[in-house]
Amino acid sequence: MIFIKNLKSVSDQEWSTTEKYPGVRWKFLIDADFTGSSGLSLGFAEIAPGGDLILHYHSPAEIYVVTGGVGTLNKSGKLEEVKKGDVVYIAGNAKHALKNTGKETLEFYWIFPTDRFSEVKYLY
Amino acid sequence: MIFIKNLKSVSDQEWSTTEKYPGVRWKFLIDADFTGSSGLSLGFAEIAPGGDLILHYHSPAEIYVVTGGVGTLNKSGKLEEVKKGDVVYIAGNAKHALKNTGKETLEFYWIFPTDRFSEVKYLY
């Protein structure tokens, strides 16, 4: 199985949101629940200016690929600026948060070494 | 462990190349051999116009995140255009190739659910 996805190809998929993360919305592009894939999963997220993906952690490692905007990454308490063109590595169980501190939408892909997002347990 | 990387931050790392893949060069950004990370690995690759990452396969699944250019993805024999803004899912052991058919550099990140690139056995 090999396939190509982009935001246009998932235009029929509604954006997901939660009250926990103000200003954040996301879609699933590579995910066993949507595409029958396995071994890796990927989603695309947008954080509006001022929006905050609050401090959380989970057992699998995670990668962010930042494709737009600028924000502040909380690395278990230490803050660092993150921007378009950066990639972020987050070890399993490391607490992290991401806030949009710019004027444009902060855009990024997240990747897990899991079949699906829904199997990743978010802890706070 | 949480860290941010970009091409500038690995300016001291030489580009890797091989005669097998004409016009292709790459660097390692998230990789146990370079950064002590685990669970996921990521590299950045460039394919010059006409360059070809020839048909190959490997046991782990793989994701491409295309950040520039346009090319032709070989999906085990079926060809499809791939371009900036696309993501690609490649199942474990699925034969694939990527050729730059445009005039600009084809740029992409690859991600494996492995600690390091060097543990992925490339087969042809």
Side-chain angles (χ1 to χ4, degrees):
Chain A
M1 175 190 283
I2 300 178
F3 60 78
I4 300 173
K5 290 278 178 182
N6 53 45
L7 267 189
K8 200 174 169 185
S9 70
V10 292
S11 57
D12 57 329
Q13 181 188 129
E14 303 238 338
W15 290 96
S16 295
T17 60
T18 171
E19 289 182 7
K20 270 203 184 83
Y21 308 141
V24 184
R25 65 179 192 169
W26 63 93
K27 290 196 178 194
F28 305 97
L29 275 69
I30 300 172
D31 194 290
D33 289 345
F34 294 79
T35 56
S37 45
S38 64
L40 284 165
S41 53
L42 174 146
F44 177 79
E46 293 185 349
I47 306 182
D52 198 0
L53 183 55
I54 62 160
L55 206 63
H56 65 281
Y57 64 103
H58 35 66
S59 162
E62 184 177 22
I63 285 175
Y64 293 156
V65 175
V66 183
T67 56
V70 61
T72 299
L73 178 73
N74 184 322
K75 307 186 294 179
S76 306
K78 289 186 184 177
L79 305 182
E80 186 174 349
E81 185 186 85
V82 67
K83 60 190 184 306
K84 179 180 176 175
D86 288 340
V87 297
V88 178
Y89 171 76
I90 301 151
N93 294 315
K95 283 200 178 181
H96 55 288
L98 184 58
K99 186 177 170 107
N100 186 344
T101 50
K103 291 178 178 176
E104 296 172 34
T105 303
L106 178 57
E107 302 176 352
F108 64 100
Y109 298 100
W110 80 79
I111 297 107
F112 281 118
T114 63
D115 293 349
R116 52 176 63 76
F117 176 77
S118 63
E119 73 189 74
V120 178
K121 188 169 181 186
Y122 274 60
L123 302 165
Y124 299 92
Chain B
M1 175 192 283
I2 299 177
F3 60 80
I4 301 173
K5 290 277 178 183
N6 53 45
L7 267 190
K8 200 174 169 185
S9 70
V10 291
S11 57
D12 57 330
Q13 181 188 129
E14 303 236 339
W15 290 96
S16 295
T17 61
T18 169
E19 287 181 8
K20 270 204 184 81
Y21 307 141
V24 184
R25 64 179 192 169
W26 63 91
K27 289 195 179 195
F28 305 96
L29 276 68
I30 299 172
D31 194 291
D33 289 344
F34 294 81
T35 57
S37 46
S38 65
L40 284 165
S41 53
L42 175 146
F44 177 79
E46 293 184 350
I47 306 181
D52 198 359
L53 183 56
I54 62 161
L55 205 63
H56 65 280
Y57 64 102
H58 36 66
S59 163
E62 183 176 23
I63 285 176
Y64 293 157
V65 175
V66 183
T67 55
V70 61
T72 298
L73 179 72
N74 184 322
K75 307 186 294 178
S76 306
K78 289 186 182 176
L79 305 183
E80 185 174 351
E81 186 188 84
V82 66
K83 61 190 183 307
K84 178 181 177 175
D86 287 341
V87 297
V88 179
Y89 171 75
I90 301 151
N93 293 316
K95 282 198 180 183
H96 56 287
L98 185 58
K99 186 178 169 108
N100 186 344
T101 51
K103 292 178 180 175
E104 296 172 36
T105 302
L106 179 56
E107 302 175 351
F108 65 99
Y109 297 100
W110 80 80
I111 297 107
F112 282 118
T114 63
D115 293 347
R116 51 175 64 74
F117 176 76
S118 63
E119 72 189 75
V120 179
K121 189 169 181 184
Y122 274 60
L123 301 165
Y124 300 92

